[in-house]
């Protein structure tokens, strides 16, 4: 036994564990992350028994005790603890470690802890988890150890599937309420105190409209028919939705559509600021909720940026041949091609975490494009500015490494914006007629099916900005048999044996296509021309998508499932649960 460590007597264990938890309670009052709590809580080591010779060890009793508490809270094997410490620098830092202990370090240290010391640390772990839950640092759905003192063990004859479903229900109900509190609460219509309908009731209607792909009219009509007093009429519903998107003390007189285009665009910026402020706050809440699990701790964090369009089924012309446009056509609507057909709609850009991470939308930016029916000097957003704003949003929350973009973003200015941030970019080349000679050389070499062109210059204002790599790989589209796909990336000197791996990594961007399908499935119907309604609808649908992903993530963590496995909680089930939660809460 180490003479420097005083062994604890049995009666001291509850008192020592209680002292640790008491200090953890104080730490939880200011901490926003469980790791910070574990790093800052005081652990009196003279009450612990460690039989190692302290002058010979690299990791002292206190650091090994903190890791033991972390292991107990998360219910991890020694190998899992070692892997997490190896792969999560932030965790290492928060626990006060300057280097990574091996599994052997952990195993030996803990084998030298007395049974009494382990009992003390395990009691402290449970108490810390309870305090963290009660102070909203974590949700109990995230912690594998049992936080409910009165919970009875499941019957032995209960099937595994029944146990699993019970856990999903238990964790799901908790995190749906978490989603409601952290997401919807950030939207404030700023109406008078004597209002008849609370914001939550309006959001309840909106959630129901998202579930059924209904509308303000259908929800109001249903409330009237069913004599539900908490359901307002459709005009009140739409008025409050507009107020969610209107800044405090800002008045828009008359119809928005009657304003000049410059004024509409100016007001659009105000609407965007109001709605995005709420969305960003809700996103921050979501990430704070799951950050203690560090879901974005992959060594290579990838985001995807893309445009999507919400259709607007109205022709913009009075007479296209005579080039006479409709005077009050919504200025935020633009034309786009879909399967070769010209369509019209509102455009939104998003940035989303993809790959092996939780697919959360980190930023939304409404896009103003100049259309053929607008004046030559009509304002329009540049793609480089949009990407810059979205990267600003995303990098507030996560440390990005790479950005994947659609071929529509092929632009020297876009690439310069990303390169200047020290990030890697990758995107397909939309047309590669100039590269036919290079492709021909690939095809002429027997046994060679991929190639790379190094150090292709990209210039801004006539000056070399950076160089990039052009990758040539066989197209995977069956209809394009024998043709090649071309990608551009600013990676350093891609080697021949890396070409296919790098090109295949672009497939991670397809997460964003699935995301848009889900978001659009949440969109309620509306015929409103008021941009505030359209902007709020898309943003709220994106928030529902994030909250669904949050709920599914927390349920998977709570039931020990793979994060990237198929959803345990489907999007439709989630929206129904949110609607029910809102009605019960209201």
């Amino acid at each position: 036994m180490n003479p420097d460590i005083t062994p604890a007597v049995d009666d001291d264990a509850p008192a020592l564990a209680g002292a640790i938890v008491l200090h953890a309670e104080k730490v939880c009052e200011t901490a926003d992350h469980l790791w910070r709590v574990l790093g800052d809580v005081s652990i009196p080591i003279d009450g612990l028994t460690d039989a190692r010779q302290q002058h010979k060890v690299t990791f002292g009793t206190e650091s090994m005790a903190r890791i033991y508490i972390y292991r107990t809270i998360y219910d991890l094997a020694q190998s899992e603890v070692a892997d997490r410490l190896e792969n999560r620098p932030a965790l290492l830092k928060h626990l006060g470690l300057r280097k990574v202990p091996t599994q052997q370090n952990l195993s030996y240290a803990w084998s030298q802890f007395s049974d009494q010391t382990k009992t003390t640390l395990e009691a402290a772990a449970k108490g810390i988890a309870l305090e963290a839950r009660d102070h909203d640092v974590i949700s109990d759905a995230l912690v594998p150890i049992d936080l409910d003192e009165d919970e009875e063990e499941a019957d032995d004859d209960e099937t595994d599937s029944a146990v699993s479903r019970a856990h999903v229900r238990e964790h799901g109900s908790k995190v749906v309420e978490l989603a409601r509190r952290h997401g919807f609460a950030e939207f404030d219509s700023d109406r008078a105190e004597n209002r008849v309908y609370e914001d939550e009731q309006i959001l309840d209607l909106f959630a129901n409209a998202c579930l059924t792909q209904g509308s303000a009219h259908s929800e109001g009509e249903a409330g009237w028919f069913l004599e539900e007093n908490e359901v307002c009429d459709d005009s009140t519903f739409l008025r409050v939705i507009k107020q969610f998107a209107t800044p405090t003390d800002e008045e828009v007189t008359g119809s928005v559509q009657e304003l000049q285009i410059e004024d509409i665009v100016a007001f659009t910026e105000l609407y965007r600021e109001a709605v995005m402020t709420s969305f960003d706050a809700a996103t921050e809440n979501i990430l704070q909720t799951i950050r203690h699990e560090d879901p974005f701790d992959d060594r290579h964090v990838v985001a995807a940026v893309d445009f999507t369009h919400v259709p607007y089924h109205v022709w913009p012309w009075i007479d296209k041949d005579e080039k006479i446009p409709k005077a009050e056509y919504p200025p935020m609507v633009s034309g786009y091609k879909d399967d070769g057909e010209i369509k019209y709609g509102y455009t939104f850009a998003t940035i989303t975490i993809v790959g092996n991470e939780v697919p959360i939308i980190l930023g939304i930016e409404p896009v103003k494009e100049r259309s053929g029916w607008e004046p030559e000097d009509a304002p329009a957003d540049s793609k480089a500015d949009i990407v810059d704003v979205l990267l600003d949003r995303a990098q507030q929350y996560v440390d990005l490494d790479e950005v994947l973009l659609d071929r529509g973003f092929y632009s020297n200015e876009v690439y310069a914006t990303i390169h200047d941030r020290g990030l890697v970019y990758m995107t397909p080349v939309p047309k590669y007629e100039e590269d036919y000679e290079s492709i021909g050389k690939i095809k002429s070499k027997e046994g060679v099916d991929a190639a790379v062109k190094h150090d292709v210059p990209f210039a801004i204002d006539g000056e070399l900005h950076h160089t990039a790599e052009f990758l040539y790989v066989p197209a995977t589209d069956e209809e394009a048999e024998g043709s090649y796909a071309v990608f551009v990336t600013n990676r350093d000197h891609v080697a021949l044996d890396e070409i296919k791996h790098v090109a295949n990594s672009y497939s991670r961007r397809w997460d964003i296509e699935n995301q848009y399908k889900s978001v659009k499935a949440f969109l309620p119907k509306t015929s409103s021309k008021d941009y505030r309604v359209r902007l709020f609808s898309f943003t709220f649908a994106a928030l529902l998508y994030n909250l669904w992903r949050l709920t599914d993530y927390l349920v998977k963590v709570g039931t020990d499932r793979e994060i990237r496995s198929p959803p345990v909680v489907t999007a439709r089930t989630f929206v129904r649960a949110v609607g029910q939660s809102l009605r019960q809460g209201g």
Side-chain angles (χ1 to χ4, degrees):
M1 177 181 295
N2 179 9
D4 297 331
I5 303 296
T6 303
V9 298
D10 289 354
D11 290 343
D12 289 342
L16 181 55
I20 295 172
V21 174
L22 184 63
H23 187 248
E25 180 184 8
K26 298 295 183 184
V27 175
C28 285
E29 292 176 358
T30 56
D32 59 356
H33 195 300
L34 184 57
W35 294 358
R36 291 191 175 91
V37 176
L38 296 179
D40 293 344
V41 67
S42 176
I43 300 179
I45 61 172
D46 18 334
L48 305 177
T49 301
D50 182 351
R52 295 177 300 158
Q53 296 182 13
Q54 295 297 300
H55 64 285
K56 292 184 178 181
V57 301
T58 303
F59 304 96
T61 302
E62 182 177 351
S63 60
M64 288 294 103
R66 290 187 195 280
I67 301 173
Y68 192 90
I69 291 173
Y70 170 82
R71 173 201 181 189
T72 303
I73 291 177
Y74 289 97
D75 192 24
L76 301 172
Q78 286 180 359
S79 59
E80 292 175 308
V81 175
D83 286 344
R84 290 196 181 194
L85 292 173
E86 172 72 28
N87 297 319
R88 301 183 178 185
L91 172 60
L92 201 70
K93 179 180 177 181
H94 283 309
L95 294 180
L97 298 170
R98 295 185 178 180
K99 59 185 297 186
V100 181
T102 65
Q103 185 179 343
Q104 289 73 23
N105 293 144
L106 300 175
S107 178
Y108 176 66
W110 294 339
S111 71
Q112 299 304 301
F113 282 1
S114 68
D115 289 342
Q116 185 63 36
T117 292
K118 293 177 183 177
T119 299
T120 299
L121 295 177
E122 288 162 6
K126 185 165 185 177
I128 290 171
L130 284 165
E131 291 297 338
R133 179 197 65 179
D134 293 344
H135 285 80
D136 288 329
V137 176
I138 59 170
S139 162
D140 54 356
L142 292 171
V143 183
I145 67 173
D146 178 16
L147 297 185
D148 190 342
E149 302 286 357
D150 299 322
E151 184 177 356
E152 296 180 0
E153 295 294 329
D155 293 335
D156 292 338
D157 59 351
E158 193 171 16
T159 64
D160 290 340
S161 61
V163 172
S164 177
R165 290 180 67 85
H167 276 288
V168 168
R169 272 198 307 273
E170 178 186 353
H171 291 302
S173 62
K174 293 173 183 175
V175 296
V176 164
E177 175 55 30
L178 193 73
R180 173 195 177 191
R181 186 171 72 248
H182 287 340
F184 293 178
E186 296 298 338
F187 289 89
D188 184 359
S189 64
D190 195 42
R191 289 174 293 146
E193 292 295 331
N194 62 348
R195 58 197 179 198
V196 176
Y197 300 100
E198 294 297 326
D199 287 347
E200 282 192 352
Q201 292 172 282
I202 302 299
L203 294 174
D204 179 12
L205 285 179
F206 210 92
N208 287 335
C210 290
L211 167 63
T212 61
Q213 289 196 308
S215 64
H217 176 73
S218 65
E219 291 301 316
E221 185 178 67
W224 164 79
F225 183 75
L226 298 173
E227 294 186 324
E228 294 179 346
N229 294 329
E230 69 273 16
V231 177
C232 63
D233 59 59
D234 55 350
S235 61
T236 300
F237 181 34
L238 284 174
R239 186 171 66 252
V240 179
I241 293 303
K242 294 174 187 177
Q243 287 175 291
F244 281 133
T246 304
T248 304
D249 300 327
E250 187 68 46
E251 290 292 334
V252 181
T253 58
S255 169
V256 173
Q257 302 309 124
E258 294 174 359
L259 300 171
Q260 296 295 317
I261 184 171
E262 294 82 2
D263 295 327
I264 295 175
V265 171
F267 275 117
T268 297
E269 285 299 304
L270 295 176
Y271 305 155
R272 184 200 65 79
E273 184 67 25
V275 177
M276 290 307 120
T277 296
S278 299
F279 178 82
D280 290 347
T283 301
E284 176 65 22
N285 290 342
I286 291 169
L287 296 180
Q288 288 291 350
T289 301
I290 62 178
R291 188 163 281 152
H292 87 281
E293 264 296 316
D294 211 353
F296 308 121
D297 197 47
D298 194 303
R299 291 188 173 186
H300 191 77
V301 179
V302 182
V305 176
D306 206 352
F307 287 142
T308 192
H309 305 280
V310 178
Y312 181 70
H313 304 288
V314 178
W315 179 252
W317 300 97
I318 294 175
D319 189 325
K320 185 175 181 180
D321 293 336
E322 295 296 326
K323 296 185 178 181
I324 304 175
K326 294 178 179 177
E328 295 185 4
Y329 197 74
M332 294 298 286
V333 173
S334 56
Y336 64 96
K337 281 189 177 181
D338 184 14
D339 292 332
E341 181 183 354
I342 296 294
K343 296 183 178 180
Y344 307 95
Y346 295 89
T347 305
F348 297 93
T350 64
I351 185 166
T352 305
I353 294 297
V354 296
N356 297 322
E357 318 294 355
V358 185
I360 297 291
I361 300 172
L362 299 180
I364 300 172
E365 192 65 14
V367 180
K368 170 68 181 77
E369 298 176 296
R370 197 195 74 78
S371 301
W373 53 84
E374 292 183 325
E376 288 285 339
D377 58 351
D381 297 322
S382 80
K383 293 178 180 177
D385 288 344
I386 291 166
V387 170
D388 198 42
V389 170
L390 290 175
L391 288 174
D392 271 343
R393 296 265 181 79
Q395 290 186 301
Q396 291 182 70
Y397 308 125
V398 298
D399 294 326
L400 291 180
D401 296 294
E402 183 175 1
V403 183
L404 306 177
L405 306 104
D406 182 72
R407 58 174 44 88
F409 287 91
Y410 186 90
S411 155
N412 289 22
E413 288 74 20
V414 168
Y415 296 153
T417 295
I418 300 172
H419 189 84
D420 285 344
R421 291 174 178 264
L423 304 176
V424 172
Y425 63 75
M426 186 172 183
T427 182
V429 178
K431 293 182 180 180
Y432 50 85
E433 286 88 346
E434 297 176 0
D435 296 300
Y436 283 158
E437 182 179 349
S438 299
I439 293 172
K441 291 179 180 178
I442 298 171
K443 294 181 178 180
S444 67
K445 295 181 181 180
E446 186 175 350
V448 177
D449 63 354
V452 58
K453 183 190 293 186
H454 299 298
D455 301 325
V456 178
F458 279 82
I460 299 294
D461 298 327
E463 297 288 334
L464 176 66
H465 186 273
H466 68 281
T467 61
E469 309 280 277
F470 273 59
L471 312 180
Y472 304 88
V473 295
T476 56
D477 190 338
E478 293 180 358
E479 296 179 0
E481 184 177 355
S483 65
Y484 276 70
V486 184
F487 294 91
V488 61
T489 177
N490 62 337
R491 283 177 172 82
D492 292 333
H493 204 83
V494 178
L496 284 174
D497 60 356
E498 297 176 315
I499 295 172
K500 287 189 176 180
H501 171 73
V502 172
N504 288 340
S505 69
Y506 185 75
S507 63
R508 290 174 292 186
R509 198 194 70 84
W510 286 107
D511 277 356
I512 207 167
E513 301 298 336
N514 295 327
Q515 161 202 295
Y516 286 145
K517 290 179 182 178
S518 298
V519 170
K520 290 178 180 178
F522 286 140
L523 282 173
K525 294 178 181 177
T526 181
S527 59
S528 175
K529 294 182 180 180
D530 194 301
Y531 187 60
R532 288 170 291 184
V533 176
R534 299 286 184 161
L535 177 61
F536 180 84
S537 294
F538 184 84
T539 304
F540 194 84
L543 176 61
L544 282 177
Y545 172 86
N546 277 355
L547 294 174
W548 164 49
R549 287 297 192 180
L550 164 68
T551 300
D552 186 62
Y553 173 80
L554 296 184
V555 169
K556 284 175 178 173
V557 170
T559 55
D560 197 26
R561 301 186 184 214
E562 287 294 325
I563 301 307
R564 295 294 293 183
S565 61
V568 176
V569 180
T570 66
R572 186 173 182 84
T573 297
F574 167 73
V575 176
R576 289 185 63 183
V578 167
Q580 183 180 41
S581 174
L582 281 167
R583 285 190 293 276
Q584 291 173 349

